[in-house]
Amino acid sequence: MNIPRVWAPHAHQVDLDCQGERRPLKPLGDGWWSGGGPLTHGTDYAFLVDGEGPFPDPRSPWQPQGVHGPSRWLDHDRFTWHDTAWQAPPLASAVIQEIHVGTYTPEGTFEAIIPRLDHLRDLGITHVELMPVAAFPGRHGWGYDGVALFAPHAPYGGPEGLKRLVDACHGKGLAVLLDVVYNHLGPSGNYLGHFGPYFTDAYQTPWGQAVNLDRADSPQVRRFFLDNALHWLEHYHIDGLRIDAVHAIIDTSATHFLETLAEEVERLQARLGRHLTLIAESDLNDPRILRPRAVGGYGLDAQWNEDFHHALHAALTGERQGYYEDFGDLAHLSRAVTRGFCYAGDYSRYRRRHHGRSAADLPGHCFVGCLQNHDQIGNRAVGDRSSRLLSTGLLQVGAAIVLTAPFVPMLFQGEEWGAGTPFLYFTDHQEPELAEAVREGRRREFAAFGWDPEQVPDPQAPETFQRSRLEWDELDREPHRELLQWHRNLIHLRRHHPAFADDRLDRVTARGDEQARWWVMSRPGIVVACNLAPSGQRVPLTQQPGEILLASAPGVSLEAGGVQLPAESVVILEAPDSDPDCSLLSLPTLTPTPLPPAGEGLHTP
């Protein structure tokens, strides 16, 4: 259907501006307006509401002139897909890499990622997760201030570029997840309020007006966001969505928005015949998000496990500021891997209240675990990655814990080789007052944590964005080559050893010694022993293990009742109840094998 239509329930008159020609629309009922004649692919158009405007279409599929310009009509059927037989791997077997399109390559476009897909496939990645790509103001940014939610960002390559990337990913066997933001919109280019009550003053979010999901005239607002989710999954063949900060999606309806979303995505999955996934980011530690709808849950597939990240980061770095105040003991890491959440009704010093609820009965694949992600790097004042905070040995320990834990592992772009580039917070607002507000707000935020405001990079400075780009030539140097091979070995082990098919949390045990700085996790079939101390030591084991499957450093030796580990190292051991065929795996036992020469499986620029 190529007749434009728009929802403007309180308007007296709505007109279509078609390349300068004004055409009146007719009311259809329920606040909808339509008419103005059919539009063809590539036609620019906009709407006027009671004489104000012209404004872009709230459901604009294409914004080639930016978020303040006219919309452009898009015929999705013009694109030729080559992924007819594609089926995404199940989330339980996933290894995810999170990618920011603008900094992943020097070009910063969808299509520029395509030559790098062999690197991801050879690493063992199964799912590529794109940070938000809905059109946002300026040329570059994180994407969480998107305003044209149906239109892929034009500087990235627009609709055609995104489709080409997804099609190429599927051709390489890679599923694609997309980060979407349904709790607020950005301040610049946000014209939804001119059309209808998309927002409410009844609630507030830290980032802007709250979305109206449960107040007067909310049914069509809910429909807007539901249709947006289905739009990405159907028209762009996206395999799943990561929903940003669901704790800021406030809905007091008897049927929560997330529950309705899960139900509609389930129906779309049945119609398309493709596996579709919904992953939440949540600060609530509430398993209701993950429980099936039949027992009162919302029915989402998984959520980011912030407790696991915080516990692991604090254990490795020793940081205790901010929310890390609640973490740091190895016992917190043990609680995360054995019951999902560290805080499951426990008292939180940081929040000064009890927090969370037990999720120990849920399977591990309901949680996405990581050592790094865009938030935990970019929300640091100078965007320093773990590679700037930890030794190579501790980076290897952290990677081993992420990739052997009973959760779905996720790596942030470049983490696999210990990228030295920061990932800073950057914006490109064109309005001087908004640019200054972001700049000063950033400085105030970190001054409260003791940072010198003058050392906080200016988000608006071009070099802040440019410094955040990955440097792919690092792959030719040490210790990056060694770290990359270590990640490859870990992922290979995870994908081929049968122990990792069992993600029941009640079958995981973990214990550590805070003073001696060692930690051991056992799962049916494997034991992961870590020495976090700066000197070698004997790590006691409760059972005599089998052979060494993988070790991060030479010098590991099995002893009666324990294992001798070098400083800041980790070993993965076969447990006595393993399948005997596991020993046939072609894995290095003590030291990482060298990378293949350039051109043999590793993409080099």
Side-chain angles (χ1 to χ4, degrees):
M1 182 178 179
N2 57 354
I3 304 295
R5 61 197 300 264
V6 66
W7 183 65
H10 303 315
H12 299 288
Q13 178 60 48
V14 180
D15 298 295
L16 175 73
D17 183 328
C18 185
Q19 298 178 331
E21 179 186 352
R22 184 177 295 191
R23 306 172 187 174
L25 302 186
K26 297 179 180 180
L28 298 177
D30 293 329
W32 285 92
W33 300 74
S34 183
L39 299 182
T40 58
H41 178 81
T43 301
D44 287 346
Y45 70 102
F47 294 110
L48 295 100
V49 182
D50 291 332
E52 294 186 7
F55 304 120
D57 184 352
R59 294 175 178 240
S60 171
W62 194 358
Q63 289 293 127
Q65 298 177 45
V67 297
H68 301 289
S71 302
R72 182 165 292 175
W73 196 262
L74 175 65
D75 180 0
H76 284 287
D77 292 335
R78 291 170 63 94
F79 185 82
T80 301
W81 291 93
H82 304 90
D83 63 351
T84 306
W86 166 253
Q87 193 65 263
L91 192 61
S93 64
V95 179
I96 302 171
Q97 174 146 121
E98 186 186 17
I99 286 177
H100 178 266
V101 175
T103 57
Y104 195 67
T105 65
E107 300 85 353
T109 64
F110 295 125
E111 294 199 55
I113 296 173
I114 295 175
R116 307 288 182 178
L117 296 181
D118 284 342
H119 164 81
L120 295 174
R121 181 192 60 190
D122 295 345
L123 174 62
I125 297 298
T126 63
H127 291 63
V128 173
E129 180 177 316
L130 303 177
M131 288 174 63
V133 303
F136 55 84
R139 295 155 296 177
H140 53 257
W142 278 20
Y144 294 92
D145 53 355
V147 289
L149 300 192
F150 289 74
H153 193 50
Y156 287 172
E160 183 87 1
L162 179 56
K163 290 180 179 180
R164 289 184 184 277
L165 173 58
V166 175
D167 201 40
C169 283
H170 291 171
K172 297 289 186 180
L174 297 167
V176 181
L177 307 173
L178 178 63
D179 203 339
V180 293
V181 184
Y182 294 153
N183 53 65
H184 78 289
L185 273 75
S188 177
N190 177 7
Y191 298 105
L192 290 187
H194 292 279
F195 290 89
Y198 282 89
F199 305 99
T200 176
D201 293 330
Y203 317 113
Q204 295 293 326
T205 80
W207 315 286
Q209 284 184 291
V211 174
N212 175 26
L213 295 173
D214 60 0
R215 300 284 159 155
D217 298 314
S218 61
Q220 290 300 332
V221 179
R222 294 169 71 96
R223 189 70 262 158
F224 175 86
F225 289 98
L226 292 168
D227 287 348
N228 181 259
L230 303 179
H231 161 83
W232 295 116
L233 298 170
E234 181 168 12
H235 293 304
Y236 288 91
H237 292 202
I238 298 294
D239 299 295
L241 304 175
R242 180 266 191 187
I243 309 164
D244 180 67
V246 301
H247 49 271
I249 298 177
I250 304 173
D251 180 11
T252 60
S253 306
T255 303
H256 193 279
F257 170 79
L258 292 176
E259 182 180 349
T260 304
L261 175 61
E263 184 177 6
E264 296 210 5
V265 169
E266 193 175 284
R267 285 200 214 109
L268 180 65
Q269 176 178 261
R271 179 163 66 83
L272 298 178
R274 290 194 291 117
H275 297 308
L276 303 174
T277 298
L278 292 176
I279 301 172
E281 180 199 21
S282 174
D283 188 39
L284 301 174
N285 281 19
D286 186 352
R288 177 171 35 182
I289 293 170
L290 306 171
R291 297 201 192 284
R293 298 192 303 278
V295 294
Y298 296 164
L300 273 64
D301 298 288
Q303 76 161 74
W304 279 18
N305 192 337
E306 301 287 8
D307 276 16
F308 173 72
H309 167 271
H310 298 347
L312 179 57
H313 177 93
L316 293 177
T317 65
E319 292 187 350
R320 299 293 184 273
Q321 72 274 24
Y323 43 71
Y324 293 128
E325 176 187 0
D326 276 343
F327 300 89
D329 294 342
L330 291 173
H332 290 114
L333 185 57
S334 297
R335 286 160 66 182
V337 298
T338 57
R339 67 181 198 177
F341 297 136
C342 289
Y343 286 84
D346 307 271
Y347 184 80
S348 160
R349 289 187 305 238
Y350 172 69
R351 294 177 172 85
R352 295 191 297 172
R353 61 174 173 81
H354 291 86
H355 178 61
R357 184 171 182 168
S358 176
D361 60 313
L362 294 173
H365 66 257
C366 286
F367 301 96
V368 176
C370 68
L371 174 60
Q372 303 179 67
N373 60 49
H374 74 273
D375 270 334
Q376 305 304 335
I377 303 171
N379 285 340
R380 301 175 67 86
V382 294
D384 39 353
R385 294 169 175 261
S386 297
S387 58
R388 295 293 186 186
L389 306 174
L390 300 172
S391 66
T392 298
L394 288 180
L395 285 175
Q396 291 174 315
V397 173
I401 293 173
V402 169
L403 286 160
T404 60
F407 309 131
V408 176
M410 183 177 74
L411 308 175
F412 185 69
Q413 60 180 36
E415 179 180 351
E416 66 270 25
W417 73 76
T421 50
F423 187 73
L424 297 157
Y425 181 71
F426 46 83
T427 56
D428 186 32
H429 294 300
Q430 302 304 301
E431 301 90 341
E433 65 281 1
L434 180 57
E436 183 61 24
V438 170
R439 184 182 296 117
E440 289 304 313
R442 189 78 173 167
R443 288 172 176 164
R444 283 195 306 271
E445 178 183 354
F446 286 105
F449 283 91
W451 286 82
D452 180 354
E454 297 305 315
Q455 293 182 353
V456 178
D458 178 3
Q460 284 285 121
E463 58 267 24
T464 302
F465 165 67
Q466 293 161 4
R467 287 175 56 204
S468 300
R469 286 178 170 149
L470 285 178
E471 294 180 3
W472 285 85
D473 59 0
E474 288 183 329
L475 289 170
D476 297 326
R477 306 192 297 269
E478 295 294 357
H480 306 293
R481 288 170 60 89
E482 178 186 0
L483 284 167
L484 178 59
Q485 188 60 54
W486 176 242
H487 280 84
R488 282 181 174 172
N489 292 342
L490 286 167
I491 294 172
H492 179 81
L493 176 64
R494 181 181 182 92
R495 295 185 67 179
H496 291 87
H497 197 292
F500 295 99
D502 183 350
D503 64 350
R504 279 182 50 174
L505 301 184
D506 63 343
R507 295 180 177 174
V508 181
T509 61
R511 59 193 181 88
D513 186 312
E514 198 64 47
Q515 288 189 326
R517 302 293 293 155
W518 59 259
W519 186 77
V520 175
M521 175 180 66
S522 299
R523 298 176 61 179
I526 61 163
V527 175
V528 181
C530 307
N531 178 16
L532 309 181
S535 58
Q537 66 174 315
R538 178 181 179 276
V539 175
L541 302 176
T542 58
Q543 56 183 336
Q544 189 62 30
E547 67 174 287
I548 296 172
L549 293 173
L550 201 59
S552 63
V556 176
S557 61
L558 296 176
E559 303 174 353
V563 58
Q564 185 69 32
L565 287 179
E568 299 179 344
S569 67
V570 58
V571 64
I572 304 169
L573 304 160
E574 193 158 43
D577 55 351
S578 278
D579 185 329
D581 291 338
C582 296
S583 60
L584 301 178
L585 285 168
S586 56
L587 288 165
T589 55
L590 288 176
T591 56
T593 56
L595 285 171
E600 295 183 17
L602 175 65
H603 179 87
T604 53

